[in-house]
Amino acid sequence: MQSKKNIDKVVFDVLKSSGALGEFPTPVDKVLNYSELIVNDSRDIKEIPKHYRTRSAELLKKALRKLNGILDRQEKTIYIDPNQLPSRKKFVKLHEVGHHVLPWQRKFYEIIEEDETTVSSDVTDDFEVEANMFASGALFQLDRFEEEMRKLPLEIGSPMALAKTFGASNHATLRRYVEYSPKRCALLVLKDKKELHCSVRNYFQSPNFTAEFGTIKWEETLGIEWSFVEDYILNKKFHKKGGFELVTSDGEVLSFDYHYFNNTWNAFIFIKPIGEHQSSRTKIVLKSFR
């Protein structure tokens, strides 16, 4: 798999050449036009075009199920599932652009299409990760996201405000905010709430959080004894007043604050050590939760 540095270089070249660099929300249509790709969201993307079928069709279907989009290289068309949120569609479009413009991927598939060699799952998995890295870098305009992030206080409202700035989903922005934060913070994503429990969908930590506390291991299912699970089951929408304790394997008790947001599909738990903050003169006001 190629390095992040190599992928970011392609992202920068595409953003600059397309006129999208520094424009907010990130203008995905400009990137598509520059890449000479069109989007078709009027058909079932599970119907892979006949001329696109090769011995790697099952791998293509696997990727399709994950991302709800597929690139037809011959027709220079991106097929996407129309039943997605607009912010998700943007990411899927940029993911497929990544497959098209990353030069090593493009060269590889030109060879594959000529000799119909079977594509290994290891190669395609690497390519999917690279395309995700391209999409995230393009949507969040590389270092510009970190620049804007550092201007805002350390709280869940900051990535939600940045999501509107960059035209991304709250989920994707919350993840990037935590993974790129210089502060100690983490994000727990919950799903499938029941009467007394819910499931863990994802969990992410900032580098400095990991350096100090290691990687927190969560059970696949969490019960109502966790205050944020109770928030979720009670269908609370948003607050910044939570706290909880963890006991480590060596008996140390760790105390954390948490901020909570429920977007109907998932609950997002933004975690930070008590007292952790980022100096900022900006006050975040989310009108929909006032």
Side-chain angles (χ1 to χ4, degrees):
M1 189 171 72
Q2 291 288 324
S3 68
K4 180 178 180 298
K5 180 179 179 181
N6 289 341
I7 295 170
D8 283 353
K9 183 180 183 301
V10 178
V11 171
F12 178 81
D13 290 342
V14 169
L15 288 174
K16 184 177 181 181
S17 298
S18 66
L21 188 65
E23 185 176 335
F24 306 101
T26 300
V28 175
D29 287 346
K30 285 188 177 182
V31 174
L32 288 166
N33 291 337
Y34 170 76
S35 305
E36 298 182 336
L37 294 172
I38 60 174
V39 174
N40 185 330
D41 61 359
S42 62
R43 62 177 291 177
D44 183 354
I45 58 171
K46 294 180 180 177
E47 298 175 6
I48 299 175
K50 290 182 179 180
H51 67 265
Y52 199 72
R53 296 181 185 275
T54 69
R55 278 181 279 173
S56 60
E58 288 305 313
L59 296 172
L60 294 171
K61 290 178 181 178
K62 177 183 176 182
L64 191 155
R65 286 195 296 270
K66 292 189 296 182
L67 292 166
N68 296 316
I70 192 168
L71 170 65
D72 181 343
R73 296 173 184 277
Q74 185 174 346
E75 298 294 331
K76 292 187 176 181
T77 299
I78 296 171
Y79 294 95
I80 63 173
D81 183 352
N83 302 310
Q84 301 179 84
L85 294 173
S87 57
R88 179 60 180 168
K89 286 183 181 180
K90 288 183 179 180
F91 190 90
V92 173
K93 291 173 186 177
L94 289 172
H95 175 98
E96 301 304 338
V97 170
H99 284 312
H100 184 64
V101 300
L102 293 172
W104 54 90
Q105 288 201 20
R106 189 167 185 171
K107 181 178 180 180
F108 179 86
Y109 276 108
E110 285 172 355
I111 295 172
I112 293 303
E113 288 172 358
E114 288 175 1
D115 66 12
E116 295 187 348
T117 302
T118 300
V119 185
S120 75
S121 59
D122 289 342
V123 170
T124 55
D125 286 346
D126 284 348
F127 281 4
E128 293 303 322
V129 172
E130 291 173 352
N132 275 343
M133 292 171 66
F134 176 92
S136 182
L139 188 59
F140 294 109
Q141 305 247 349
L142 299 172
D143 294 344
R144 185 60 184 270
F145 180 84
E146 289 91 290
E147 291 175 13
E148 298 302 317
M149 177 180 70
R150 287 177 172 84
K151 298 176 183 177
L152 303 177
L154 186 66
E155 61 159 273
I156 196 169
S158 293
M160 293 172 69
L162 289 170
K164 295 180 180 179
T165 299
F166 288 89
S169 69
N170 283 316
H171 193 161
T173 313
L174 279 159
R175 174 176 178 171
R176 191 172 181 94
Y177 183 88
V178 165
E179 291 183 329
Y180 282 76
S181 176
K183 298 296 182 177
R184 298 173 299 170
C185 59
L187 177 70
L188 178 66
V189 185
L190 306 178
K191 65 175 183 177
D192 301 334
K193 63 178 177 179
K194 307 297 182 182
E195 185 176 352
L196 296 174
H197 66 272
C198 66
S199 302
V200 172
R201 174 176 175 178
N202 297 116
Y203 178 65
F204 311 101
Q205 298 184 168
S206 70
N208 282 333
F209 187 100
T210 303
E212 179 156 348
F213 303 112
T215 301
I216 295 178
K217 302 295 185 181
W218 298 94
E219 300 291 337
E220 292 183 3
T221 301
L222 299 178
I224 201 167
E225 67 271 14
W226 296 94
S227 53
F228 44 77
V229 173
E230 183 178 12
D231 292 337
Y232 192 24
I233 291 172
L234 293 176
N235 204 34
K236 292 184 180 180
K237 296 300 181 183
F238 179 88
H239 71 75
K240 297 186 287 185
K241 301 176 181 178
F244 68 96
E245 292 183 339
L246 284 174
V247 180
T248 65
S249 58
D250 59 5
E252 182 182 4
V253 178
L254 303 177
S255 297
F256 297 95
D257 288 329
Y258 76 85
H259 299 173
Y260 168 93
F261 167 58
N262 177 359
N263 73 349
T264 301
W265 299 280
N266 299 110
F268 301 90
I269 317 304
F270 179 73
I271 300 166
K272 61 178 182 175
I274 293 175
E276 187 80 346
H277 73 282
Q278 183 163 283
S279 297
S280 174
R281 296 182 179 180
T282 303
K283 182 177 181 180
I284 303 297
V285 178
L286 301 173
K287 294 181 179 180
S288 58
F289 297 105
R290 292 178 65 182

